[in-house]
Amino acid sequence: MTTTAALGPADDLGPDVVDRARSGDQEAFAALIKHYDPGLRSLAYRILGDRDRMDDALQEAYVKAFRALPRFRGDSSLGTWLYRIAYNACLDELARSRRVVQLPLDDAAEQPSSRSDPGDMVANRRDLAAALAGLPLEERAAVLLVDAQGFDYREAGNALGIPVGTVASRLNRARAALRAALAGGAGL
Amino acid sequence: VTRDLALGAALRSLDVPDHAPGFYAQLHARLAEERVASLDDVRRRRRARQARLRWAARAGAAAAAAAVALLFFLPRDERVPDAIRQETASAAAIKAKVASALAQARTVRGRLVIEGKEALVFADRDRIAYTFAYTEQGDFRLHGLTHREELAYDAKQGVERQYFVDSDGVVSAGVLTGLAPGFPDPSPSDWIVGRRYGSVVRALRETQDGVVRRVRHKGRTAWRLDVDVQPSWIVPELTADHLRIVVDRETGFPVAIAEQKQGRLLRRTTLEKLEVNGELPPGSFALEFPPAAKPNRLDLGYRRVELSDVAAKVGYAPLVPAWTPDGYELAEVAVARRGGPTGTEAANPSSRMVVSLSYRRGLDQFLVTTRLSRVEAPGERELPLEELWGDPLATGEGYPDEPESITLRKGALEDVDVELLIVPRNVPHLWALTGELVVTVGGDLSRAELIQIAESLERQR
């Protein structure tokens, strides 16, 4: 299995950073959070649709994680555990606000690309963002965790609170829609 | 695992905004609050476990308020413009005045008001008020004005009674017997706060770098002392980095303390209607429980004995100071075969064969305590004593102490290295670890007095 940096262990933070964080060391916990934050931000932003709500959800998630970390037993990886807390915080945020989520479609900023035509790339990202926004929440989360963040199915299932088989079926549907968008089609 | 790498790369290329400015500052503050709540929770659970008394959590609050009242009279004096009567006063004169006031007081009573969030004790209130009374024997009485809470401590008997009525009318009541006469052992509630707050004034006697000004306080001349203190490294946002203390010039009593953080007021404690050496009405220290109260009872195991009986009780000759500062007299002797753990977050081993000698002079008090250093618990007894024991009077989690190391030159502890600590947040004290005993000397004492007492300790024959 390969993992991305976002999910990977926090070994590069120092051998005792998790232990220190579990004992209530704020600085150690902050280091842990910053390690996982890029991936968690990506997930929260794609679920909630704007930065303010992303921040609200992640504030709640990080505080809950800090509170619960002393009881974290390592049944799953720390990263999986954090993603689950963040995902639930996003669901809470959605339930709390009951607002229509305007998902981000304006992904047109310059990014490194191997393609020769920047215009094509921008258009593709717009299409992809639109396709992602059009997916049901559960499918969106599954494809973000597995394909973008590098979770395996079991980890994704743990993070989302669903069986492995459900992860696979959601992935299939999500990938079909997103591949079509990437190919430039309107298959949404 | 099947993973669509191209799709994954494309998904990762989508823009994700950074957090809004201030996100991490807000998170940091919230984590600090969580830490406070967590510490509070730990303390509450520890108290509950040790005492199995529902009212124990309230006892800290009441006691704290009481001790504060005794030793600080909190001011609203900061409203007085500094331009009025601001002169540089003599720190030495103030120290002498405060020392004299505390040493000569026989009784003190008044009203205590605490305003502001006291996150560790009074998390649910912004303002609480009590009347209080205190005697040179250590008797103590607290009566809630803003809520139904009563506390009475009988020093001679070592018994504390307390009840609290919550907003739903539920009465929590308890009786603590067998209390030790003071720190670091289970002590009356006034010491909980006395150690935390009252010692600020005591430590000021040793402070060399505080700023002193002459001000008006409620129409009276007073001194105002400004002292920088170290905030907790665990909850720096919620603990003071500066103390502003007002001492009434005529009586020499501290009448107000403002705890500030970066110039912002965290909490203000005010002593009002202070009456020193007045006659206390009969029954001032009696406490009747409400009819609905079903007091929990707990015996903490400390027994008042004669000094001559101590060796027979604990199996070793006690260490007794041959010298004490003028005016101090031995007031109480207590022993316990087993006592609670001491030190930061009670990290020290459980105490065995404890001897606690309490000396008093007016409202001043100091104690000499000893307990066996050897440990019985499996898994601990094999460890070096130095790894097992820390300062029984350590300031507490979040306040790293930097004690002074001294080698005693005389007495029963000759050539023993001791650690001496005088900081605003703690009782001035020293402690020593030998192959037989853990020794503490602490209280209303100067550095020189601490050392002189420690060097005068001799085995009582």
Side-chain angles (χ1 to χ4, degrees), chain A residues 35-66:
Chain A
H35 177 78
Y36 290 104
D37 183 71
L40 294 167
R41 254 190 300 126
S42 174
L43 177 68
Y45 183 62
R46 294 296 159 193
I47 290 175
L48 297 171
D50 72 51
R51 186 174 76 169
D52 288 344
R53 302 180 76 197
M54 171 190 82
D55 279 357
D56 288 348
L58 290 184
Q59 281 275 346
E60 293 304 316
Y62 293 163
V63 170
K64 284 179 181 174
F66 184 70

PDB file of all heavy atoms in Angstrom, chain A residues 35-66:
ATOM      1  N   HIS A  35       0.843  18.628  10.447  1.00  0.00           N
ATOM      2  CA  HIS A  35       1.264  17.541   9.569  1.00  0.00           C
ATOM      3  C   HIS A  35       0.090  17.025   8.735  1.00  0.00           C
ATOM      4  O   HIS A  35       0.222  16.744   7.550  1.00  0.00           O
ATOM      5  CB  HIS A  35       1.843  16.417  10.426  1.00  0.00           C
ATOM      6  CG  HIS A  35       2.262  15.199   9.650  1.00  0.00           C
ATOM      7  ND1 HIS A  35       3.446  15.153   8.939  1.00  0.00           N
ATOM      8  CD2 HIS A  35       1.658  14.008   9.478  1.00  0.00           C
ATOM      9  CE1 HIS A  35       3.544  13.958   8.355  1.00  0.00           C
ATOM     10  NE2 HIS A  35       2.479  13.241   8.668  1.00  0.00           N
ATOM     11  N   TYR A  36      -1.056  16.890   9.372  1.00  0.00           N
ATOM     12  CA  TYR A  36      -2.210  16.316   8.689  1.00  0.00           C
ATOM     13  C   TYR A  36      -3.135  17.368   8.077  1.00  0.00           C
ATOM     14  O   TYR A  36      -4.048  17.034   7.322  1.00  0.00           O
ATOM     15  CB  TYR A  36      -3.027  15.461   9.668  1.00  0.00           C
ATOM     16  CG  TYR A  36      -2.337  14.183  10.074  1.00  0.00           C
ATOM     17  CD1 TYR A  36      -1.751  14.046  11.314  1.00  0.00           C
ATOM     18  CD2 TYR A  36      -2.262  13.109   9.183  1.00  0.00           C
ATOM     19  CE1 TYR A  36      -1.108  12.879  11.689  1.00  0.00           C
ATOM     20  CE2 TYR A  36      -1.627  11.937   9.544  1.00  0.00           C
ATOM     21  CZ  TYR A  36      -1.048  11.823  10.795  1.00  0.00           C
ATOM     22  OH  TYR A  36      -0.421  10.663  11.141  1.00  0.00           O
ATOM     23  N   ASP A  37      -2.910  18.620   8.405  1.00  0.00           N
ATOM     24  CA  ASP A  37      -3.865  19.660   8.032  1.00  0.00           C
ATOM     25  C   ASP A  37      -4.114  19.800   6.531  1.00  0.00           C
ATOM     26  O   ASP A  37      -5.264  20.000   6.119  1.00  0.00           O
ATOM     27  CB  ASP A  37      -3.427  21.004   8.621  1.00  0.00           C
ATOM     28  CG  ASP A  37      -4.412  22.112   8.337  1.00  0.00           C
ATOM     29  OD1 ASP A  37      -5.508  22.085   8.931  1.00  0.00           O
ATOM     30  OD2 ASP A  37      -4.107  22.986   7.506  1.00  0.00           O
ATOM     31  N   PRO A  38      -3.100  19.721   5.668  1.00  0.00           N
ATOM     32  CA  PRO A  38      -3.391  19.916   4.236  1.00  0.00           C
ATOM     33  C   PRO A  38      -4.449  18.947   3.706  1.00  0.00           C
ATOM     34  O   PRO A  38      -5.381  19.354   2.997  1.00  0.00           O
ATOM     35  CB  PRO A  38      -2.031  19.691   3.575  1.00  0.00           C
ATOM     36  CG  PRO A  38      -1.043  20.066   4.630  1.00  0.00           C
ATOM     37  CD  PRO A  38      -1.655  19.600   5.917  1.00  0.00           C
ATOM     38  N   GLY A  39      -4.309  17.677   4.062  1.00  0.00           N
ATOM     39  CA  GLY A  39      -5.289  16.702   3.597  1.00  0.00           C
ATOM     40  C   GLY A  39      -6.655  16.907   4.217  1.00  0.00           C
ATOM     41  O   GLY A  39      -7.698  16.743   3.560  1.00  0.00           O
ATOM     42  N   LEU A  40      -6.666  17.255   5.484  1.00  0.00           N
ATOM     43  CA  LEU A  40      -7.935  17.482   6.165  1.00  0.00           C
ATOM     44  C   LEU A  40      -8.640  18.716   5.616  1.00  0.00           C
ATOM     45  O   LEU A  40      -9.869  18.745   5.475  1.00  0.00           O
ATOM     46  CB  LEU A  40      -7.693  17.636   7.671  1.00  0.00           C
ATOM     47  CG  LEU A  40      -7.183  16.364   8.359  1.00  0.00           C
ATOM     48  CD1 LEU A  40      -6.674  16.665   9.763  1.00  0.00           C
ATOM     49  CD2 LEU A  40      -8.283  15.307   8.422  1.00  0.00           C
ATOM     50  N   ARG A  41      -7.851  19.716   5.288  1.00  0.00           N
ATOM     51  CA  ARG A  41      -8.439  20.915   4.684  1.00  0.00           C
ATOM     52  C   ARG A  41      -9.078  20.577   3.347  1.00  0.00           C
ATOM     53  O   ARG A  41     -10.172  21.037   3.021  1.00  0.00           O
ATOM     54  CB  ARG A  41      -7.353  21.972   4.473  1.00  0.00           C
ATOM     55  CG  ARG A  41      -7.432  23.117   5.472  1.00  0.00           C
ATOM     56  CD  ARG A  41      -6.510  24.256   5.077  1.00  0.00           C
ATOM     57  NE  ARG A  41      -5.117  23.866   5.002  1.00  0.00           N
ATOM     58  CZ  ARG A  41      -4.331  24.054   3.955  1.00  0.00           C
ATOM     59  NH1 ARG A  41      -4.804  24.643   2.870  1.00  0.00           N
ATOM     60  NH2 ARG A  41      -3.072  23.674   3.978  1.00  0.00           N
ATOM     61  N   SER A  42      -8.363  19.783   2.573  1.00  0.00           N
ATOM     62  CA  SER A  42      -8.887  19.408   1.264  1.00  0.00           C
ATOM     63  C   SER A  42     -10.228  18.693   1.406  1.00  0.00           C
ATOM     64  O   SER A  42     -11.206  19.008   0.715  1.00  0.00           O
ATOM     65  CB  SER A  42      -7.871  18.506   0.549  1.00  0.00           C
ATOM     66  OG  SER A  42      -8.416  18.030  -0.659  1.00  0.00           O
ATOM     67  N   LEU A  43     -10.275  17.734   2.326  1.00  0.00           N
ATOM     68  CA  LEU A  43     -11.514  16.993   2.526  1.00  0.00           C
ATOM     69  C   LEU A  43     -12.636  17.922   2.985  1.00  0.00           C
ATOM     70  O   LEU A  43     -13.754  17.901   2.434  1.00  0.00           O
ATOM     71  CB  LEU A  43     -11.292  15.894   3.569  1.00  0.00           C
ATOM     72  CG  LEU A  43     -12.530  15.068   3.932  1.00  0.00           C
ATOM     73  CD1 LEU A  43     -12.957  14.201   2.748  1.00  0.00           C
ATOM     74  CD2 LEU A  43     -12.265  14.194   5.161  1.00  0.00           C
ATOM     75  N   ALA A  44     -12.332  18.745   3.983  1.00  0.00           N
ATOM     76  CA  ALA A  44     -13.373  19.609   4.553  1.00  0.00           C
ATOM     77  C   ALA A  44     -13.853  20.638   3.534  1.00  0.00           C
ATOM     78  O   ALA A  44     -15.057  20.931   3.446  1.00  0.00           O
ATOM     79  CB  ALA A  44     -12.839  20.304   5.809  1.00  0.00           C
ATOM     80  N   TYR A  45     -12.924  21.172   2.759  1.00  0.00           N
ATOM     81  CA  TYR A  45     -13.311  22.200   1.795  1.00  0.00           C
ATOM     82  C   TYR A  45     -14.200  21.615   0.700  1.00  0.00           C
ATOM     83  O   TYR A  45     -15.185  22.231   0.280  1.00  0.00           O
ATOM     84  CB  TYR A  45     -12.054  22.807   1.190  1.00  0.00           C
ATOM     85  CG  TYR A  45     -12.318  23.944   0.228  1.00  0.00           C
ATOM     86  CD1 TYR A  45     -12.938  25.114   0.660  1.00  0.00           C
ATOM     87  CD2 TYR A  45     -11.937  23.852  -1.112  1.00  0.00           C
ATOM     88  CE1 TYR A  45     -13.174  26.158  -0.215  1.00  0.00           C
ATOM     89  CE2 TYR A  45     -12.162  24.890  -1.995  1.00  0.00           C
ATOM     90  CZ  TYR A  45     -12.790  26.043  -1.545  1.00  0.00           C
ATOM     91  OH  TYR A  45     -13.031  27.076  -2.413  1.00  0.00           O
ATOM     92  N   ARG A  46     -13.869  20.408   0.248  1.00  0.00           N
ATOM     93  CA  ARG A  46     -14.666  19.788  -0.813  1.00  0.00           C
ATOM     94  C   ARG A  46     -16.029  19.330  -0.301  1.00  0.00           C
ATOM     95  O   ARG A  46     -16.957  19.154  -1.082  1.00  0.00           O
ATOM     96  CB  ARG A  46     -13.908  18.605  -1.417  1.00  0.00           C
ATOM     97  CG  ARG A  46     -12.653  18.996  -2.139  1.00  0.00           C
ATOM     98  CD  ARG A  46     -12.958  19.869  -3.344  1.00  0.00           C
ATOM     99  NE  ARG A  46     -11.775  20.638  -3.751  1.00  0.00           N
ATOM    100  CZ  ARG A  46     -11.789  21.653  -4.603  1.00  0.00           C
ATOM    101  NH1 ARG A  46     -12.928  22.037  -5.151  1.00  0.00           N
ATOM    102  NH2 ARG A  46     -10.687  22.307  -4.901  1.00  0.00           N
ATOM    103  N   ILE A  47     -16.146  19.113   0.983  1.00  0.00           N
ATOM    104  CA  ILE A  47     -17.441  18.725   1.538  1.00  0.00           C
ATOM    105  C   ILE A  47     -18.300  19.948   1.842  1.00  0.00           C
ATOM    106  O   ILE A  47     -19.508  19.969   1.578  1.00  0.00           O
ATOM    107  CB  ILE A  47     -17.252  17.889   2.829  1.00  0.00           C
ATOM    108  CG1 ILE A  47     -16.677  16.515   2.478  1.00  0.00           C
ATOM    109  CG2 ILE A  47     -18.563  17.735   3.601  1.00  0.00           C
ATOM    110  CD1 ILE A  47     -16.346  15.659   3.676  1.00  0.00           C
ATOM    111  N   LEU A  48     -17.673  20.977   2.361  1.00  0.00           N
ATOM    112  CA  LEU A  48     -18.443  22.107   2.890  1.00  0.00           C
ATOM    113  C   LEU A  48     -18.562  23.273   1.929  1.00  0.00           C
ATOM    114  O   LEU A  48     -19.489  24.078   2.034  1.00  0.00           O
ATOM    115  CB  LEU A  48     -17.820  22.588   4.204  1.00  0.00           C
ATOM    116  CG  LEU A  48     -17.854  21.538   5.320  1.00  0.00           C
ATOM    117  CD1 LEU A  48     -17.025  21.979   6.514  1.00  0.00           C
ATOM    118  CD2 LEU A  48     -19.292  21.271   5.748  1.00  0.00           C
ATOM    119  N   GLY A  49     -17.591  23.437   1.061  1.00  0.00           N
ATOM    120  CA  GLY A  49     -17.783  24.392  -0.001  1.00  0.00           C
ATOM    121  C   GLY A  49     -17.245  25.779   0.209  1.00  0.00           C
ATOM    122  O   GLY A  49     -17.177  26.545  -0.741  1.00  0.00           O
ATOM    123  N   ASP A  50     -16.881  26.157   1.415  1.00  0.00           N
ATOM    124  CA  ASP A  50     -16.228  27.453   1.557  1.00  0.00           C
ATOM    125  C   ASP A  50     -15.280  27.447   2.749  1.00  0.00           C
ATOM    126  O   ASP A  50     -15.348  26.577   3.618  1.00  0.00           O
ATOM    127  CB  ASP A  50     -17.228  28.615   1.628  1.00  0.00           C
ATOM    128  CG  ASP A  50     -17.988  28.672   2.935  1.00  0.00           C
ATOM    129  OD1 ASP A  50     -17.345  28.645   4.008  1.00  0.00           O
ATOM    130  OD2 ASP A  50     -19.221  28.743   2.882  1.00  0.00           O
ATOM    131  N   ARG A  51     -14.423  28.445   2.749  1.00  0.00           N
ATOM    132  CA  ARG A  51     -13.338  28.448   3.707  1.00  0.00           C
ATOM    133  C   ARG A  51     -13.828  28.639   5.141  1.00  0.00           C
ATOM    134  O   ARG A  51     -13.316  28.017   6.067  1.00  0.00           O
ATOM    135  CB  ARG A  51     -12.323  29.543   3.358  1.00  0.00           C
ATOM    136  CG  ARG A  51     -11.105  29.492   4.245  1.00  0.00           C
ATOM    137  CD  ARG A  51     -10.051  30.467   3.817  1.00  0.00           C
ATOM    138  NE  ARG A  51     -10.399  31.832   4.190  1.00  0.00           N
ATOM    139  CZ  ARG A  51      -9.539  32.857   4.117  1.00  0.00           C
ATOM    140  NH1 ARG A  51      -8.323  32.650   3.650  1.00  0.00           N
ATOM    141  NH2 ARG A  51      -9.905  34.066   4.466  1.00  0.00           N
ATOM    142  N   ASP A  52     -14.781  29.508   5.331  1.00  0.00           N
ATOM    143  CA  ASP A  52     -15.231  29.772   6.697  1.00  0.00           C
ATOM    144  C   ASP A  52     -15.808  28.514   7.343  1.00  0.00           C
ATOM    145  O   ASP A  52     -15.537  28.203   8.504  1.00  0.00           O
ATOM    146  CB  ASP A  52     -16.286  30.883   6.703  1.00  0.00           C
ATOM    147  CG  ASP A  52     -15.671  32.236   6.408  1.00  0.00           C
ATOM    148  OD1 ASP A  52     -14.426  32.358   6.505  1.00  0.00           O
ATOM    149  OD2 ASP A  52     -16.422  33.166   6.059  1.00  0.00           O
ATOM    150  N   ARG A  53     -16.602  27.804   6.567  1.00  0.00           N
ATOM    151  CA  ARG A  53     -17.200  26.592   7.122  1.00  0.00           C
ATOM    152  C   ARG A  53     -16.144  25.501   7.303  1.00  0.00           C
ATOM    153  O   ARG A  53     -16.197  24.703   8.239  1.00  0.00           O
ATOM    154  CB  ARG A  53     -18.346  26.114   6.232  1.00  0.00           C
ATOM    155  CG  ARG A  53     -19.421  27.193   6.072  1.00  0.00           C
ATOM    156  CD  ARG A  53     -20.542  26.715   5.205  1.00  0.00           C
ATOM    157  NE  ARG A  53     -21.408  25.792   5.927  1.00  0.00           N
ATOM    158  CZ  ARG A  53     -22.271  24.976   5.330  1.00  0.00           C
ATOM    159  NH1 ARG A  53     -22.351  24.962   4.011  1.00  0.00           N
ATOM    160  NH2 ARG A  53     -23.031  24.189   6.030  1.00  0.00           N
ATOM    161  N   MET A  54     -15.208  25.466   6.388  1.00  0.00           N
ATOM    162  CA  MET A  54     -14.084  24.537   6.550  1.00  0.00           C
ATOM    163  C   MET A  54     -13.355  24.823   7.858  1.00  0.00           C
ATOM    164  O   MET A  54     -13.058  23.913   8.643  1.00  0.00           O
ATOM    165  CB  MET A  54     -13.125  24.698   5.369  1.00  0.00           C
ATOM    166  CG  MET A  54     -11.812  23.945   5.510  1.00  0.00           C
ATOM    167  SD  MET A  54     -10.625  24.414   4.220  1.00  0.00           S
ATOM    168  CE  MET A  54      -9.938  25.937   4.918  1.00  0.00           C
ATOM    169  N   ASP A  55     -13.077  26.102   8.107  1.00  0.00           N
ATOM    170  CA  ASP A  55     -12.373  26.464   9.336  1.00  0.00           C
ATOM    171  C   ASP A  55     -13.198  26.119  10.567  1.00  0.00           C
ATOM    172  O   ASP A  55     -12.672  25.624  11.568  1.00  0.00           O
ATOM    173  CB  ASP A  55     -12.045  27.959   9.333  1.00  0.00           C
ATOM    174  CG  ASP A  55     -10.796  28.279   8.509  1.00  0.00           C
ATOM    175  OD1 ASP A  55     -10.175  27.317   8.005  1.00  0.00           O
ATOM    176  OD2 ASP A  55     -10.463  29.469   8.373  1.00  0.00           O
ATOM    177  N   ASP A  56     -14.484  26.399  10.511  1.00  0.00           N
ATOM    178  CA  ASP A  56     -15.339  26.084  11.664  1.00  0.00           C
ATOM    179  C   ASP A  56     -15.305  24.589  11.973  1.00  0.00           C
ATOM    180  O   ASP A  56     -15.172  24.173  13.129  1.00  0.00           O
ATOM    181  CB  ASP A  56     -16.787  26.514  11.384  1.00  0.00           C
ATOM    182  CG  ASP A  56     -16.954  28.020  11.411  1.00  0.00           C
ATOM    183  OD1 ASP A  56     -16.016  28.711  11.873  1.00  0.00           O
ATOM    184  OD2 ASP A  56     -17.997  28.515  10.945  1.00  0.00           O
ATOM    185  N   ALA A  57     -15.437  23.802  10.927  1.00  0.00           N
ATOM    186  CA  ALA A  57     -15.462  22.347  11.135  1.00  0.00           C
ATOM    187  C   ALA A  57     -14.120  21.847  11.652  1.00  0.00           C
ATOM    188  O   ALA A  57     -14.064  21.002  12.559  1.00  0.00           O
ATOM    189  CB  ALA A  57     -15.822  21.638   9.832  1.00  0.00           C
ATOM    190  N   LEU A  58     -13.043  22.363  11.098  1.00  0.00           N
ATOM    191  CA  LEU A  58     -11.733  21.869  11.529  1.00  0.00           C
ATOM    192  C   LEU A  58     -11.370  22.370  12.925  1.00  0.00           C
ATOM    193  O   LEU A  58     -10.683  21.674  13.671  1.00  0.00           O
ATOM    194  CB  LEU A  58     -10.660  22.255  10.512  1.00  0.00           C
ATOM    195  CG  LEU A  58     -10.774  21.500   9.176  1.00  0.00           C
ATOM    196  CD1 LEU A  58      -9.629  21.858   8.238  1.00  0.00           C
ATOM    197  CD2 LEU A  58     -10.806  19.984   9.383  1.00  0.00           C
ATOM    198  N   GLN A  59     -11.839  23.561  13.271  1.00  0.00           N
ATOM    199  CA  GLN A  59     -11.642  23.988  14.663  1.00  0.00           C
ATOM    200  C   GLN A  59     -12.269  22.965  15.606  1.00  0.00           C
ATOM    201  O   GLN A  59     -11.662  22.532  16.586  1.00  0.00           O
ATOM    202  CB  GLN A  59     -12.285  25.366  14.901  1.00  0.00           C
ATOM    203  CG  GLN A  59     -11.498  26.551  14.404  1.00  0.00           C
ATOM    204  CD  GLN A  59     -10.454  27.026  15.407  1.00  0.00           C
ATOM    205  OE1 GLN A  59     -10.482  26.637  16.557  1.00  0.00           O
ATOM    206  NE2 GLN A  59      -9.529  27.845  14.933  1.00  0.00           N
ATOM    207  N   GLU A  60     -13.510  22.624  15.306  1.00  0.00           N
ATOM    208  CA  GLU A  60     -14.207  21.662  16.162  1.00  0.00           C
ATOM    209  C   GLU A  60     -13.492  20.321  16.155  1.00  0.00           C
ATOM    210  O   GLU A  60     -13.331  19.670  17.192  1.00  0.00           O
ATOM    211  CB  GLU A  60     -15.656  21.486  15.696  1.00  0.00           C
ATOM    212  CG  GLU A  60     -16.527  22.711  15.882  1.00  0.00           C
ATOM    213  CD  GLU A  60     -16.551  23.194  17.322  1.00  0.00           C
ATOM    214  OE1 GLU A  60     -16.671  22.339  18.220  1.00  0.00           O
ATOM    215  OE2 GLU A  60     -16.426  24.411  17.543  1.00  0.00           O
ATOM    216  N   ALA A  61     -13.079  19.903  14.977  1.00  0.00           N
ATOM    217  CA  ALA A  61     -12.425  18.601  14.869  1.00  0.00           C
ATOM    218  C   ALA A  61     -11.122  18.574  15.665  1.00  0.00           C
ATOM    219  O   ALA A  61     -10.840  17.608  16.382  1.00  0.00           O
ATOM    220  CB  ALA A  61     -12.149  18.289  13.396  1.00  0.00           C
ATOM    221  N   TYR A  62     -10.342  19.623  15.558  1.00  0.00           N
ATOM    222  CA  TYR A  62      -9.043  19.618  16.234  1.00  0.00           C
ATOM    223  C   TYR A  62      -9.214  19.689  17.754  1.00  0.00           C
ATOM    224  O   TYR A  62      -8.464  19.057  18.500  1.00  0.00           O
ATOM    225  CB  TYR A  62      -8.185  20.782  15.732  1.00  0.00           C
ATOM    226  CG  TYR A  62      -7.777  20.648  14.280  1.00  0.00           C
ATOM    227  CD1 TYR A  62      -7.298  21.735  13.559  1.00  0.00           C
ATOM    228  CD2 TYR A  62      -7.874  19.425  13.633  1.00  0.00           C
ATOM    229  CE1 TYR A  62      -6.918  21.607  12.226  1.00  0.00           C
ATOM    230  CE2 TYR A  62      -7.511  19.283  12.303  1.00  0.00           C
ATOM    231  CZ  TYR A  62      -7.039  20.384  11.597  1.00  0.00           C
ATOM    232  OH  TYR A  62      -6.679  20.246  10.287  1.00  0.00           O
ATOM    233  N   VAL A  63     -10.187  20.450  18.186  1.00  0.00           N
ATOM    234  CA  VAL A  63     -10.419  20.513  19.633  1.00  0.00           C
ATOM    235  C   VAL A  63     -10.911  19.154  20.140  1.00  0.00           C
ATOM    236  O   VAL A  63     -10.475  18.665  21.185  1.00  0.00           O
ATOM    237  CB  VAL A  63     -11.426  21.631  19.973  1.00  0.00           C
ATOM    238  CG1 VAL A  63     -11.845  21.540  21.446  1.00  0.00           C
ATOM    239  CG2 VAL A  63     -10.818  23.000  19.682  1.00  0.00           C
ATOM    240  N   LYS A  64     -11.810  18.534  19.382  1.00  0.00           N
ATOM    241  CA  LYS A  64     -12.282  17.202  19.791  1.00  0.00           C
ATOM    242  C   LYS A  64     -11.124  16.205  19.814  1.00  0.00           C
ATOM    243  O   LYS A  64     -11.034  15.360  20.695  1.00  0.00           O
ATOM    244  CB  LYS A  64     -13.371  16.717  18.832  1.00  0.00           C
ATOM    245  CG  LYS A  64     -14.716  17.382  19.051  1.00  0.00           C
ATOM    246  CD  LYS A  64     -15.737  16.862  18.052  1.00  0.00           C
ATOM    247  CE  LYS A  64     -17.087  17.556  18.260  1.00  0.00           C
ATOM    248  NZ  LYS A  64     -18.062  17.176  17.224  1.00  0.00           N
ATOM    249  N   ALA A  65     -10.273  16.290  18.823  1.00  0.00           N
ATOM    250  CA  ALA A  65      -9.138  15.371  18.772  1.00  0.00           C
ATOM    251  C   ALA A  65      -8.210  15.590  19.956  1.00  0.00           C
ATOM    252  O   ALA A  65      -7.724  14.632  20.575  1.00  0.00           O
ATOM    253  CB  ALA A  65      -8.377  15.558  17.459  1.00  0.00           C
ATOM    254  N   PHE A  66      -7.967  16.843  20.293  1.00  0.00           N
ATOM    255  CA  PHE A  66      -7.108  17.154  21.440  1.00  0.00           C
ATOM    256  C   PHE A  66      -7.705  16.583  22.722  1.00  0.00           C
ATOM    257  O   PHE A  66      -7.005  16.023  23.561  1.00  0.00           O
ATOM    258  CB  PHE A  66      -6.953  18.671  21.553  1.00  0.00           C
ATOM    259  CG  PHE A  66      -6.022  19.112  22.645  1.00  0.00           C
ATOM    260  CD1 PHE A  66      -4.657  18.906  22.544  1.00  0.00           C
ATOM    261  CD2 PHE A  66      -6.510  19.746  23.775  1.00  0.00           C
ATOM    262  CE1 PHE A  66      -3.796  19.316  23.545  1.00  0.00           C
ATOM    263  CE2 PHE A  66      -5.657  20.167  24.779  1.00  0.00           C
ATOM    264  CZ  PHE A  66      -4.297  19.950  24.657  1.00  0.00           C
TER     265      PHE A  66
END
